[in-house]
Amino acid sequence: MKRTHRCDELGEKHVGEEVILSGWIHRRRNLGSLAFIDLRDLYGKTQLLFDPTTFPSLQPTLSSLRLEWVISVSGIVKKRTEANPQLATGAIEIEVREVQVLSEAKTPPFTLFGEDAVHEDLRLQYRFLDIRRGEIAHNLVLRHQAMLSVRNTLSSMGFFEITTPILGKTTPEGARDYLVPSRIHPGSFYALPQSPQIFKQLLMLSGMDRYFQIATCFRDEDLRKDRQPEFTQIDIELSFSDQEAFFPMIESLMKTLFSEVKKTHLTLPFPRLSHEECLNLYGTDKPDTRFGMTFVDVTPIFASLNTPFLQEKFDQGALAKGFVVKKGAVKSRKEIESYLNFVQGLGLPTLTWIKRKEGSFASNAKKLFSEQAFMELATKLTLEEGDLALIGIEMKPSLHQALDHLRRKIGEEEKLIDPKTYAFLWVTDFPLFTQDPSTKHLASEHHPFTSPHLEDLHLLDSDPKSVRSLAYDLVLNGFEIGSGSQRIHDANMQKKIFSKLNLQQVEIEEKFGFFLRALQYGAPPHLGIALGLDRIMMILCGADNIREVIAFPKTQNASDLLLQSPSKADASHLRELGLFS
């Protein structure tokens, strides 16, 4: 029975019409000689009225109907005696004349509708039922709207959507590749793309000028709540431009996306901070800027105490940094002790706390500070009456990581974060290189195709670790949702960067020979960005895990509980691929 309407469409204007509806049995109620069933589809619910005394042919089927059976009914739209304001169709009901069972259903392994908590593993094992519950389905509809908005907006800006290969070659993207063995070339492997990085640059060298793609990417890396082994990114590249022209395009894309999908107005332009400024203020290059509590360096004040055990740490390069919790002086010692335990788990051995209340200072370091030193700290930190200061002393990486996590923890506990606020931030001027602490070899902070900052070119040979790059990240509410850079478009500069990365000529030719040759045939200046669609949707949907916005995600250990994959391959298949004798 082909439906004439969806389950959210009918209202008083349809009273008297004969209609056909199809869907799942959501709820049923028997009232003596009458029965009521709520019929549900993706779009909504409609109440059905069964009256076997008037239509006796309904009785045999009606008595057998169960929840989640799929049925189709035909009947007349009637006005309800008492409307249900909770339903879009609450003013009417369907007086059923005929019912057809399209498929029966077993009892679901968990309650589809109700307050009962369901373990995520069970939800993922029966993902088709989980989607049917509604929340995931809602997220997937929003995801569709977002993808449509992105396509329309970028197309209106003159970008062309171009599909790039899935079976490719391993590239240095910062994670392990997923490899696909070749049957035709035994012993050789394709690599699934961590991103379309090489291809989109080749498209610029091909003269395509403006490209985008909503691309599926693959990374074999440790997972967390905002990572999946396969994910979707909005990949964008353009020629003959720079950051000053490109950033407004991306900001306009985000403004349109959030307006069309979330009905939220974004204020442009987005603020910018350099990588160094981010670390100094927040201890991370992806800060949540929806609330304050920025870090303040108080190393000189602590160093002036001339305390031997502190001075030894400062001589080794440690810093003293902290932040202020407004009105935090009311916190108990037990609460502050929990903060100490928290940062110790992150590698920060101790935490100095200072309360300013009733005109004096209380602190666990009271013996170290004179009243004048306390006043200096209060001035530097902007520690006011009723406030609490939390200060750590350690080497920069450990200190920044611990204070960043502590700041976020307190921000959530104190309800300082407005969930309806969307705080974007451009982070610029990343270092071009990082250094492996064990081998002392340089590695790319982003990837080896990132252009050095033009002002720092003179440092490439003498002090490469100080060279900044023309790389940038787009951060939203503490998540990195995009990363990009100005690319190297000069073959000699690209060779120089490869050499700085300790790549030998044979290795360069094997991995990147095709790309270096392409650069020698006239390469335009170009830049781009990859925006994480899944992370953006996680934030737009108010989800706390990326799996909630993906139709069929993997678990924390990269397993698909629905398909039971990964799974063993047949020996015959392995022999055919040359992987098993």
Side-chain angles (χ1 to χ4, degrees):
M1 299 173 73
K2 186 176 180 181
R3 63 184 178 185
T4 59
H5 297 81
R6 305 183 319 198
C7 288
D8 69 331
E9 290 185 306
L10 298 173
E12 289 187 79
K13 66 180 181 180
H14 299 96
V15 169
E17 292 184 17
E18 184 172 352
V19 298
I20 300 174
L21 297 182
S22 298
W24 285 263
I25 297 176
H26 183 75
R27 188 172 64 148
R28 65 170 293 165
R29 305 176 301 285
N30 292 321
L31 300 178
S33 60
L34 299 177
F36 294 91
I37 285 179
D38 287 346
L39 190 68
R40 182 193 77 246
D41 62 12
L42 172 65
Y43 311 98
K45 295 191 285 286
T46 300
Q47 178 170 288
L48 310 179
L49 167 62
F50 288 78
D51 184 358
T53 58
T54 305
F55 302 99
S57 61
L58 294 175
Q59 184 61 58
T61 304
L62 176 62
S63 60
S64 68
L65 295 180
R66 298 292 182 268
L67 297 183
E68 296 306 305
W69 284 26
V70 182
I71 63 173
S72 185
V73 299
S74 63
I76 305 299
V77 181
K78 300 283 188 179
K79 185 174 180 179
R80 286 173 65 163
T81 305
E82 186 175 340
N84 180 357
Q86 303 300 319
L87 284 181
T89 58
I92 60 92
E93 61 190 7
I94 309 301
E95 185 183 60
V96 177
R97 305 289 177 90
E98 184 181 353
V99 59
Q100 180 179 349
V101 176
L102 302 179
S103 68
E104 299 179 5
K106 293 174 63 176
T107 301
F110 52 83
T111 303
L112 298 191
F113 301 94
E115 300 301 320
D116 296 344
V118 183
H119 194 281
E120 188 184 35
D121 282 359
L122 189 60
R123 290 173 50 212
L124 292 176
Q125 184 180 353
Y126 293 90
R127 187 62 162 185
F128 51 92
L129 294 178
D130 191 31
I131 294 174
R132 200 185 293 178
R133 299 166 78 197
E135 185 174 346
I136 305 297
H138 170 75
N139 293 345
L140 295 178
V141 170
L142 286 185
R143 186 183 176 106
H144 158 74
Q145 294 171 353
M147 294 168 72
L148 189 62
S149 176
V150 166
R151 284 192 163 99
N152 290 337
T153 302
L154 289 175
S155 180
S156 71
M157 292 179 178
F159 288 85
F160 303 101
E161 184 169 13
I162 304 173
T163 302
T164 56
I166 292 297
L167 297 177
K169 188 174 184 177
T170 182
T171 57
E173 302 281 349
R176 298 179 188 88
D177 291 310
Y178 281 102
L179 300 178
V180 180
S182 170
R183 177 186 60 83
I184 299 173
H185 304 280
S188 296
F189 296 81
Y190 300 102
L192 301 183
Q194 294 188 35
S195 82
Q197 182 65 45
I198 285 287
F199 290 115
K200 66 182 179 182
Q201 289 194 243
L202 287 172
L203 284 169
M204 295 303 100
L205 274 59
S206 304
M208 288 309 300
D209 198 65
R210 293 189 176 193
Y211 141 96
F212 84 95
Q213 181 181 191
I214 299 179
T216 301
C217 305
F218 307 85
R219 293 189 180 184
D220 184 4
E221 60 186 348
D222 295 334
L223 303 185
R224 55 193 187 204
K225 71 177 184 178
D226 63 340
R227 282 183 182 172
Q228 279 280 289
E230 52 184 316
F231 57 96
T232 307
Q233 68 184 36
I234 306 164
D235 211 45
I236 305 170
E237 198 83 5
L238 75 162
S239 297
F240 305 112
S241 191
D242 60 14
Q243 291 182 20
E244 295 308 314
F246 186 49
F247 282 10
M249 293 182 187
I250 302 303
E251 291 169 356
S252 178
L253 173 65
M254 290 294 102
K255 182 173 183 176
T256 302
L257 172 62
F258 275 68
S259 175
E260 292 183 351
V261 175
K262 200 66 177 178
K263 311 304 179 189
T264 295
H265 174 76
L266 300 180
T267 301
L268 306 184
F270 298 156
R272 303 183 192 184
L273 285 175
S274 70
H275 180 262
E276 184 177 6
E277 289 172 324
C278 257
L279 293 183
N280 287 338
L281 291 173
Y282 299 100
T284 177
D285 57 14
K286 44 182 180 293
D288 190 337
T289 57
R290 288 175 293 177
F291 63 107
M293 299 201 305
T294 53
F295 301 168
V296 179
D297 190 334
V298 290
T299 305
I301 299 176
F302 274 77
S304 68
L305 299 175
N306 294 319
T307 306
F309 75 92
L310 287 180
Q311 197 58 52
E312 184 178 351
K313 292 184 73 77
F314 294 138
D315 290 343
Q316 294 171 354
L319 297 176
K321 297 182 78 169
F323 59 86
V324 171
V325 183
K326 302 305 291 183
K327 308 302 180 185
V330 297
K331 291 188 176 296
S332 66
R333 284 183 177 267
K334 184 177 180 180
E335 288 177 291
I336 297 175
E337 188 72 21
S338 72
Y339 297 153
L340 173 59
N341 294 334
F342 179 76
V343 297
Q344 284 177 336
L346 295 166
L348 184 59
T350 188
L351 199 62
T352 299
W353 58 266
I354 303 171
K355 293 181 180 181
R356 189 173 189 176
K357 60 179 185 178
E358 298 174 0
S360 63
F361 297 96
S363 174
N364 61 340
K366 187 81 172 178
K367 295 179 180 179
L368 292 179
F369 290 96
S370 64
E371 190 68 19
Q372 180 181 350
F374 272 127
M375 288 303 299
E376 289 181 19
L377 277 171
T379 301
K380 184 70 174 177
L381 292 164
T382 317
L383 182 69
E384 299 175 332
E385 179 68 24
D387 294 346
L388 166 70
L390 299 170
I391 302 165
I393 302 173
E394 192 48 77
M395 303 301 287
K396 188 182 291 187
S398 297
L399 176 65
H400 280 167
Q401 181 189 36
L403 290 183
D404 167 42
H405 283 78
L406 180 60
R407 172 183 176 269
R408 293 174 191 251
K409 172 182 171 66
I410 295 174
E412 291 177 359
E413 290 177 350
E414 298 297 308
K415 295 182 170 50
L416 303 177
I417 304 171
D418 182 356
K420 296 181 180 179
T421 297
Y422 299 103
F424 286 84
L425 175 70
W426 287 108
V427 181
T428 64
D429 297 338
F430 281 79
L432 184 63
F433 300 114
T434 58
Q435 188 173 43
D436 188 301
S438 57
T439 65
K440 304 301 181 184
H441 290 162
L442 296 177
S444 295
E445 174 77 20
H446 276 65
H447 54 65
F449 315 112
T450 302
S451 174
H453 204 296
L454 301 184
E455 295 177 2
D456 296 346
L457 288 179
H458 65 286
L459 298 172
L460 262 178
D461 291 320
S462 60
D463 189 10
K465 290 191 295 182
S466 297
V467 177
R468 296 169 296 163
S469 70
L470 291 175
Y472 39 81
D473 282 358
L474 185 57
V475 175
L476 172 58
N477 293 359
F479 291 95
E480 175 206 314
I481 64 164
S483 186
S485 68
Q486 191 90 33
R487 321 302 187 188
I488 297 170
H489 68 280
D490 177 79
N492 291 328
M493 176 58 71
Q494 187 65 75
K495 289 178 183 177
K496 188 177 184 71
I497 295 301
F498 284 153
S499 68
K500 292 294 179 185
L501 296 173
N502 201 43
L503 295 175
Q504 302 304 310
Q505 188 58 44
V506 174
E507 191 177 4
I508 293 172
E509 178 60 31
E510 181 183 346
K511 292 183 175 180
F512 307 110
F514 69 96
F515 186 65
L516 287 173
R517 282 189 288 277
L519 287 176
Q520 294 169 357
Y521 286 89
H526 56 285
L527 75 165
I529 196 168
L531 299 165
L533 178 64
D534 307 302
R535 289 183 183 176
I536 293 171
M537 293 312 305
M538 182 178 76
I539 296 170
L540 276 173
C541 295
D544 61 2
N545 195 301
I546 202 170
R547 293 189 288 273
E548 300 299 295
V549 299
I550 297 173
F552 301 102
K554 305 291 190 292
T555 64
Q556 191 78 12
N557 66 356
S559 298
D560 185 326
L561 299 182
L562 174 63
L563 301 182
Q564 297 294 299
S565 70
S567 57
K568 301 289 185 182
D570 291 338
S572 60
H573 195 182
L574 294 176
R575 281 194 294 271
E576 191 176 26
L577 293 168
L579 298 176
F580 186 77
S581 57

